[in-house]
Amino acid sequence: MRPLNTATLDFLSRSVNEGFARTAAACFAAQLDPTLEEVNDIKTAVSEAVTNAVVHAYPDRLGKVRMKLRLYADNSLEVVVQDWGVGIADVEQARTPLFTTGNGERSGMGFTIMESFMDSLKVKSVPGKGTTVTMRRRISRRLPAGGK
């Protein structure tokens, strides 16, 4: 299915860019007329994906993070967050709740949170080459004012 609209953002793996990414995703998703709850879900999932790239992909250096946004005719949003960092050796283990490679401040719930707020989550990773997280969320269609 071809997207109706797309946007791509590249930014450095600085923690301050997490807020930029989540706001950009929310603004882009606004074209689908989401509810406030849907917007907050998208922002939370994007925040987790970008934070993973910042913290885990580039633990000792700055790197590039790319976020691709796509809107589809079925009223869905696709968000792809990609990095070219250290990669994940065992994706299934990384998706296990409470598993983390970060320090004690990390909850190990990033993938679980993404999965709970989006309709689908795919994670592809190659050690030493990076990780791509693809999330989709269908936005409920609302009746126009007057209910018709």
Side-chain angles (χ1 to χ4, degrees):
M1 179 169 32
R2 275 186 90 111
L4 299 174
N5 199 3
T6 66
T8 302
L9 303 169
D10 287 341
F11 48 91
L12 288 176
S13 61
R14 294 186 185 278
S15 61
V16 295
N17 286 329
E18 174 271 328
F20 165 67
R22 66 186 272 139
T23 301
C27 290
F28 192 77
Q31 298 169 69
L32 298 176
D33 195 24
T35 64
L36 186 56
E37 182 179 357
E38 290 168 330
V39 169
N40 286 333
D41 289 353
I42 291 163
K43 287 168 67 174
T44 300
V46 167
S47 178
E48 292 294 332
V50 170
T51 297
N52 274 359
V54 169
V55 171
H56 299 290
Y58 305 106
D60 54 4
R61 65 182 172 95
L62 283 177
K64 181 170 78 170
V65 178
R66 174 170 290 154
M67 183 171 71
K68 295 179 186 177
L69 303 161
R70 297 179 183 111
L71 299 178
Y72 293 93
D74 66 351
N75 225 48
S76 67
L77 168 72
E78 181 179 75
V79 180
V80 178
V81 177
Q82 182 177 12
D83 67 67
W84 291 265
V86 299
I88 302 169
D90 186 338
V91 171
E92 287 309 310
Q93 182 182 36
R95 290 183 71 162
T96 303
L98 304 178
F99 176 83
T100 183
T101 58
N103 59 29
E105 295 176 12
R106 301 289 159 203
S107 70
M109 294 298 289
F111 287 128
T112 302
I113 291 168
M114 286 178 244
E115 197 164 32
S116 68
F117 285 109
M118 301 299 269
D119 295 328
S120 68
L121 171 69
K122 294 179 185 171
V123 182
K124 293 182 181 177
S125 191
V126 176
K129 296 196 184 272
T131 302
T132 301
V133 173
T134 303
M135 304 176 286
R136 284 188 75 115
R137 174 74 184 253
R138 183 169 288 169
I139 303 303
S140 58
R141 294 186 192 270
R142 295 190 278 161
L143 293 174
K148 296 183 180 190

